[in-house]
Amino acid sequence: MKKQTVLITGANKGIGLETARQLANAGYHIFLGCRDKQRGDEAVSLLHSEGLTDVELILIDVVNEQSVQQAHDEVAKRVDYLDVLINNAGIPGDFPQPATNTPDETFKQVFEVNLFSVARVVRVFVPLMQKAPNPRIVNVTSDLGSLALHSDPTWRHYDVKTAAYGPSKSALNGYTIALAYELKNFRVNAVNPGYTKTDFNNNQGYKTVEEGAAPIAKYAMIDKDGPTGSYFSDYGVTPW
Ligand SMILES: NC(=O)c1ccc[n+]([C@@H]2O[C@H](COP(=O)([O-])OP(=O)(O)OC[C@H]3O[C@@H](n4cnc5c(N)ncnc54)[C@H](OP(=O)(O)O)[C@@H]3O)[C@@H](O)[C@H]2O)c1
């Protein structure tokens, strides 16, 4: 395959779908990762109808080891290597999430998708990325994962405290640093889309999906001397 390839998890809607659109428009071949065949087929049809024909569905439920392995095998049948992995699938968990009274189950569900599954997908897919000339991983995080911002009472989202969701993204940020350190030949970054209008927040976000996906697409496309082990938002470097 001559085009660069990218796998995006959770790409049937929201920021993941729009990231797929932007990267397809930029000339990438898209492996559109979705956990549900019908929702995935609909998303692929939508992009095809826009003329973005280099998009194919890869079924992947990130919490399921077997599903992740099968997704890997499907991609490996099509390409010698994968250029870019975008770990986008994420969940907020049930709200509210007070620090003194959030159920164990909420913590488990949120950390399972937002942290453990990223590590699972990385473990399974990194061998397929090692042969890429410029392998890149983007972990889609949130500024709600920033410990520095959350400790600053003047920050605009200072009062948006979540016992499970924010800390799951802080943990993802920590994981991103460890991953970037280990994968010296990769570019590995955590990227925050910002508060974006999607089903994730009942469409309350103030950014459009186009705006939310833009920094993710940007750091998916960085070249070999681009940054690694960093945390970015649309305004630039974000404090950990
Ligand atoms: N929206 C925001 O304001 C905002 C801000 C900061 C960070 N983020 C992050 O951005 C990412 C995308 O969020 P979004 O706003 O686009 O949310 P969304 O519209 O709710 O989309 C989430 C996507 O993740 C998928 N997903 C959930 N669990 C999955 C699993 N086990 N396996 C595979 N896919 C799974 C969903 O699939 P189904 O359709 O099958 O459920 C969906 O495609 C998340 O990591 C989120 O934390 C969002």
Side-chain angles (χ1 to χ4, degrees), residues 208-219:
T208 62
V209 280
E210 289 82 0
E211 292 166 331
I216 299 169
K218 174 180 171 181
Y219 290 100

Side-chain angles (χ1 to χ4, degrees), residues 62-63 88-97 102-120 140 142 144 162-172 200:
V62 295
V63 302
N88 167 75
I91 60 166
D94 293 338
F95 281 118
Q97 295 177 359
T102 292
D104 289 359
E105 205 43 47
T106 302
F107 280 101
K108 286 178 185 166
Q109 285 168 355
V110 169
F111 274 76
E112 179 61 51
V113 178
N114 296 356
L115 178 67
F116 306 153
S117 294
V118 173
R120 176 178 304 116
V140 179
S142 169
L144 295 181
T162 54
Y165 177 69
S168 76
K169 295 295 192 181
S170 311
L172 176 64
F200 201 84

Side-chain angles (χ1 to χ4, degrees), residues 167-215:
S168 76
K169 295 295 192 181
S170 311
L172 176 64
N173 290 350
Y175 173 76
T176 303
I177 291 178
L179 186 63
Y181 176 81
E182 209 170 301
L183 296 176
K184 303 274 193 243
N185 60 324
F186 283 50
R187 309 287 92 195
V188 180
N189 293 292
V191 179
N192 162 43
Y195 192 38
T196 304
K197 201 184 276 291
T198 68
D199 290 347
F200 201 84
N201 46 39
N202 297 317
N203 295 295
Q204 296 301 303
Y206 45 70
K207 293 175 89 175
T208 62
V209 280
E210 289 82 0
E211 292 166 331

Side-chain angles (χ1 to χ4, degrees), residues 28-218:
Y28 282 69
H29 180 92
I30 311 295
F31 293 118
L32 198 88
C34 311
R35 61 174 160 173
D36 178 89
K37 174 143 172 50
Q38 190 181 336
R39 290 197 286 275
D41 282 339
E42 285 168 10
V44 169
S45 298
L46 175 67
L47 294 177
H48 284 187
S49 75
E50 295 170 12
L52 301 171
T53 50
D54 261 322
V55 177
E56 60 183 309
L57 175 63
I58 294 292
L59 283 176
I60 179 168
D61 184 340
V62 295
V63 302
N64 182 320
E65 175 81 29
Q66 197 188 351
S67 169
V68 174
Q69 193 60 56
Q70 282 169 352
H72 166 274
D73 296 349
E74 285 305 311
V75 174
K77 267 188 219 161
R78 291 163 172 72
V79 292
D80 294 334
Y81 56 78
L82 178 69
D83 294 285
V84 185
L85 169 64
I86 302 180
N87 289 304
N88 167 75
I91 60 166
D94 293 338
F95 281 118
Q97 295 177 359
T100 47
N101 196 20
T102 292
D104 289 359
E105 205 43 47
T106 302
F107 280 101
K108 286 178 185 166
Q109 285 168 355
V110 169
F111 274 76
E112 179 61 51
V113 178
N114 296 356
L115 178 67
F116 306 153
S117 294
V118 173
R120 176 178 304 116
V121 173
V122 164
R123 177 163 35 76
V124 171
F125 275 92
V126 156
L128 190 58
M129 302 182 75
Q130 288 286 9
K131 274 195 272 169
N134 173 25
R136 285 145 283 163
I137 297 176
V138 174
N139 290 333
V140 179
T141 185
S142 169
D143 49 5
L144 295 181
S146 168
L147 302 179
L149 293 175
H150 263 304
S151 311
D152 174 2
T154 66
W155 182 44
R156 69 187 297 188
H157 299 310
Y158 178 72
D159 293 322
V160 187
K161 297 286 190 263
T162 54
Y165 177 69
S168 76
K169 295 295 192 181
S170 311
L172 176 64
N173 290 350
Y175 173 76
T176 303
I177 291 178
L179 186 63
Y181 176 81
E182 209 170 301
L183 296 176
K184 303 274 193 243
N185 60 324
F186 283 50
R187 309 287 92 195
V188 180
N189 293 292
V191 179
N192 162 43
Y195 192 38
T196 304
K197 201 184 276 291
T198 68
D199 290 347
F200 201 84
N201 46 39
N202 297 317
N203 295 295
Q204 296 301 303
Y206 45 70
K207 293 175 89 175
T208 62
V209 280
E210 289 82 0
E211 292 166 331
I216 299 169
K218 174 180 171 181

